[in-house]
Amino acid sequence: MLRTHTCGELRIKNVNETVTISGWVQGVRDKGSLLWIDLRDRYGITQVTIETENADKQIIDTARSLGREFVISVTGKVAERYSKTDKIETGDIEITPDKIVILNAAITPPFTIEDETDGGDDIRMKYRYLDLRRNPVRKNLELRHRIAIETRNYLDKLNFLEVETPVLIKSTPEGARDFVVPSRMNQGEFYALPQSPQTFKQLLMVGGFDRYYQIVKCFRDEDLRADRQPEFTQIDCEMAFVEQEDILQTFEGLIRHLFKTVKGIDIPTLSRMTYADAMKFYGNDKPDIRFDMKFKPLTPKGETYGFPVFDNARLVVGICAKGAAEYTRKQLDELTEFVKRPQIGATGLVYARYNADATIKSSVDKFFNEEQLKHIASQMDAQPGDLILILAGEENKTRKALSELRLEMGTRLGLRDKNMFACHWVIDFPMLEWSEETSRFHAMHHPFTSPKPEDIAMLDTNPGAVRANAYDMVINGVEVGGGSIRIFNKQLQAKIFELLGFTKEDAQAQFGFLMNAFEFGAPPHGGLAFGFDRLCSLFGGADVIRDFIAFPKNNSGRDVMIDSPSPIAKDQLDELGIGLKK
Amino acid sequence: MLRTHTCGELRIKNVNETVTISGWVQGVRDKGSLLWIDLRDRYGITQVTIETENADKQIIDTARSLGREFVISVTGKVAERYSKTDKIETGDIEITPDKIVILNAAITPPFTIEDETDGGDDIRMKYRYLDLRRNPVRKNLELRHRIAIETRNYLDKLNFLEVETPVLIKSTPEGARDFVVPSRMNQGEFYALPQSPQTFKQLLMVGGFDRYYQIVKCFRDEDLRADRQPEFTQIDCEMAFVEQEDILQTFEGLIRHLFKTVKGIDIPTLSRMTYADAMKFYGNDKPDIRFDMKFKPLTPKGETYGFPVFDNARLVVGICAKGAAEYTRKQLDELTEFVKRPQIGATGLVYARYNADATIKSSVDKFFNEEQLKHIASQMDAQPGDLILILAGEENKTRKALSELRLEMGTRLGLRDKNMFACHWVIDFPMLEWSEETSRFHAMHHPFTSPKPEDIAMLDTNPGAVRANAYDMVINGVEVGGGSIRIFNKQLQAKIFELLGFTKEDAQAQFGFLMNAFEFGAPPHGGLAFGFDRLCSLFGGADVIRDFIAFPKNNSGRDVMIDSPSPIAKDQLDELGIGLKK
């Protein structure tokens, strides 16, 4: 070993020991009579101090030749520092070197290797191996490692088996966003990379595995939005002989275990909210409940509002921002601009300031008298000092817009602290959603999701009203996991495929092996999957999952470090039996 | 939960408790007055007993309607059995049912779900989800899970970080056996699936990660021999600031930890053998040292043997099979046939039986007198009762053939017990091997392997003689892991690429990002990878890795259960910008 200790472990108790440490030169300071080298490795930084008056010329020369990021090893005695620092954990000691060996020189890196770097995103992605040297990046990946280990420990104790499912699977027309892999040995045929191990984990349940999990790479070839990756990781789980309640308990337990062991935080029992309530109170199926600010519907005091915008709207709904009555005209204009942005899509914003002196000043004073405004304030549960914000219009669109406004207000009012964690379940999702685009029902979760037994009769009469045994875990307004109780009966599965517009032949061709498997004694089963990258970023208090992936791709799906994807040789294409379209 | 207990946990202490168990019907026996149901799940089998005289008619009817592999749940009282059995762990108790619920019916499976099944390989692969219900198959995967968990625990304690490296990487001409993945967003360009995360783990070392591991899927599109899979799993590891000795110690520790925790076996310190000795004494770079039977070279007593086959041979070498002098003519003929098979390729076998009465009877008595035979016996360290087997011919071919014969004799003499484990290191591999086919050197391990410092000078003068800091771990004659200390210097890496016939441009195009990374302060580093599937099969005492993979592919790379690979739709090809060659 080219060291006896890491750069993070020497303490006052080691004084007078002769040690060897190795690492990267963080910096050299030369004061003439004193020379300091800060030596860094994954574990910390240790200071090497040379008194030029007493030191060997060779050591001084070597030290003066060092540049940033040189890799060196230093052998010497641990000494107590004159001026101790508590900025680094080794701040009580320093090394008086007897020997410095340059293991590898380094050219100057294109950005500084410090917590706050001068490198932009692009350059740091190109030199990702240098970016990985920075503490914040490495700590993210250490956190990821720790979450993975604790996930496995928790599930292992509950008798879950980690089973690797195949990566080279079968493409299905459903899988419009499958990555495919041409087979050399079976020319003209393709494997597909899994978007999830869904069918395999269900087959493991049919195979009696009882409890399965896997931390597994999945793949989706879709146009990448800001924070999507073509390859991503899931904690994928499935259990047999369970009901929804068992799944909720088990994985609520996992999340609480992770918060406890990884972050030292006790998370209370997770509350549960139906999908219907989530939409009603937050306009969102993954509400951020770190703060309240629930939607309140508005009704006129008399027959009508006497305000055409409200009177002509399908829905008039508002939120009450506590203590925000002091908002300036400029701030209110910003909010109006915010809701009118095309991606939000509201036509305007009605606000009313419930002043501390109990007067109300609104943007619609022309239409409403004091009494009417008081009525509104009372419907909104507003108190003096609060700001009322109201949207009106078509129902779904208005809820969606108000949801965005609510989140914006939460952010502005500092109610969305990244170090606070509000975890809850959203349950009772609808089974199907109607697509205007394709004029048919789509599965809201996926086609293997079981309807609620009490709703099955409605499959024939009112499919859109059928609720599923499906659930999402939401943390701070982010859907970190979701799953369902599965169908385990061939006839019901066939019926659902039919509702989803599959012909019998299509269903058999694509999912025949699963439906056949159900005939051989499938147990009741269900499960869920967590988005592991997202979970890690939440634990890390960050927004961007890319920072929690060692070698991420950019928004065009490119790895700019290795320059991939890239063209391949013609004879390689020939051997695969494929050609490029002109 | 559709059970209070599993089918494997009820004991005499649970008698009189009311419980619910769920599982699959292993069988029903109907003796008229008594009806037994054996109910099976992953954890065991529990007997349900119905006394038809006292039982509810509905329970009797339900029980009589059950077929094999029906999924049921049984609620009832735990009772002590009259006739206990120790064949199953729940053999002291039985359940007297109050309720039997059929959760799912089952059609008759195509083979019996028993330890010894009547199903052939093909049918079991097609219905893999049923095969997984069989104890031996499930136990293999439980073993795999356990080895993975213990691997992680061991490495985590030593500060290794599990880091996920990308699956969508870059194809290189070196990677003639890369699976490629067309990119939809970057038409005409391809990702490749990794044959190993080699360059990424080296970049993690450059990035200061210090200790990395990953249990990771790798991919190779090669014609599959009996026991290869297109996707396979490695325990992939790398460490910085180490020398070869540190790697050997660390991973010897891992293997001993695994044997101890998973199998309860104490493995002694691993012995080490140079590649040169492995070839000299065993004709094989992964010798099975569960038994001795080392090669002994033969030299004539006088000037010549007086036996043309020996006199004309480059090498005359033999083994001594202890206690096998009683081998019959038929057995010896079998051995002769064995070595003459084309894949072994010897032209003949010379044997000499050193009888218990100290006479020697050989297949070449025509050419050798008693004294000469005694000379041979003494060179072979043979004792009365032993059988001497000798091959002669061209050096490498003869060693290889004798290696096969040695293993065959080991098997025949019962010296290769699957429950015995002989682990050792083979070290000091040559850096390069000459290929007659391409008339150039190839890397024996891979192009990133470091030469031994004391041999570097020979790179210019005698490259074939340069030894590498490369090592394999061998268990029972199987190479389970291998690795090397890496080059971490750009100039040396460039020189090796040149020796391997890369142009500067090719080397830069393919590995530029790695060589550039070396310029920014690469630490000395090295590592290794274990074949995880193979390691599991060794621990399981089995030969076939397929049995340790949940959903394996067959020898044509097909998954016959899901019927993959398969053709994909034309519009999917169009969208990817590729077409099929006619």
Side-chain angles (χ1 to χ4, degrees), chain A residues 229-242:
Chain A
Q229 289 280 321
E231 52 180 298
F232 53 98
T233 304
Q234 293 194 338
I235 305 173
D236 191 47
C237 307
E238 197 81 2
M239 304 171 80
F241 300 114
V242 291

Side-chain angles (χ1 to χ4, degrees), chain A residues 1 3 24 42-43 133 144-145 156 159 164 167 184 191 206 210 221 231 233 246 557 574 581, chain B residues 1 3 42-43 133 144-145 156 159 164 167 184 191 206 210 221 231 233 246 521 557 574 581:
Chain A
M1 201 76 92
R3 65 187 176 209
W24 286 263
R42 169 181 142 198
Y43 310 93
R133 286 187 194 162
R144 186 180 176 110
H145 166 77
D156 182 53
N159 274 323
E164 293 174 56
V167 175
R184 192 174 51 89
Y191 301 100
V206 175
D210 204 73
D221 187 11
E231 52 180 298
T233 304
D246 305 307
D574 287 345
K581 289 263 162 67
Chain B
M1 200 77 88
R3 64 186 176 210
R42 169 182 142 198
Y43 309 93
R133 287 188 193 161
R144 186 179 176 111
H145 166 77
D156 182 53
N159 275 322
E164 293 173 57
V167 176
R184 193 174 51 88
Y191 302 100
V206 175
D210 203 73
D221 187 10
E231 53 180 298
T233 304
D246 305 307
D574 287 345
K581 289 266 162 67

Side-chain angles (χ1 to χ4, degrees), chain B residues 378-552:
Chain B
S378 129
Q379 286 197 314
M380 303 301 297
D381 280 342
Q383 306 297 326
D386 295 349
L387 173 68
I388 296 163
L389 300 167
I390 301 168
L391 295 178
E394 187 270 315
E395 187 156 347
N396 285 341
K397 215 170 133 185
T398 303
R399 285 195 195 285
K400 195 170 165 302
L402 190 61
S403 169
E404 295 294 338
L405 181 61
R406 174 181 175 272
L407 292 173
E408 173 69 15
M409 286 308 299
T411 303
R412 284 173 177 250
L413 296 174
L415 304 172
R416 304 180 73 192
D417 179 351
K418 287 194 170 125
N419 297 310
M420 294 276 302
F421 296 94
C423 314
H424 65 117
W425 291 106
V426 176
I427 58 174
D428 295 356
F429 277 80
M431 172 115 175
L432 304 164
E433 57 187 345
W434 181 258
S435 161
E436 293 297 341
E437 199 181 325
T438 58
S439 290
R440 65 172 177 90
F441 282 111
H442 289 257
M444 191 136 179
H445 186 53
H446 57 52
F448 315 110
T449 297
S450 164
K452 282 196 176 289
E454 61 268 35
D455 289 2
I456 285 184
M458 282 196 295
L459 282 174
D460 295 316
T461 54
N462 186 7
V466 173
R467 292 165 307 159
N469 274 324
Y471 32 81
D472 280 353
M473 188 188 287
V474 177
I475 303 181
N476 293 0
V478 174
E479 179 210 323
V480 294
S484 64
I485 298 298
R486 324 299 183 186
I487 298 166
F488 65 107
N489 170 288
K490 183 176 178 168
Q491 284 70 39
L492 182 56
Q493 186 66 71
K495 189 185 187 79
I496 299 297
F497 280 133
E498 197 187 318
L499 262 174
L500 295 173
F502 283 76
T503 65
K504 268 209 176 73
E505 292 69 32
D506 279 355
Q508 187 60 35
Q510 290 172 47
F511 301 108
F513 61 95
L514 184 65
M515 289 198 290
N516 293 345
F518 286 171
E519 294 206 291
F520 291 102
H525 62 286
L528 89 178
F530 289 96
F532 187 55
D533 309 297
R534 171 65 62 207
L535 191 66
C536 292
S537 76
L538 258 172
F539 268 67
D543 291 323
V544 185
I545 65 170
R546 199 157 71 181
D547 294 344
F548 293 78
I549 295 172
F551 298 100

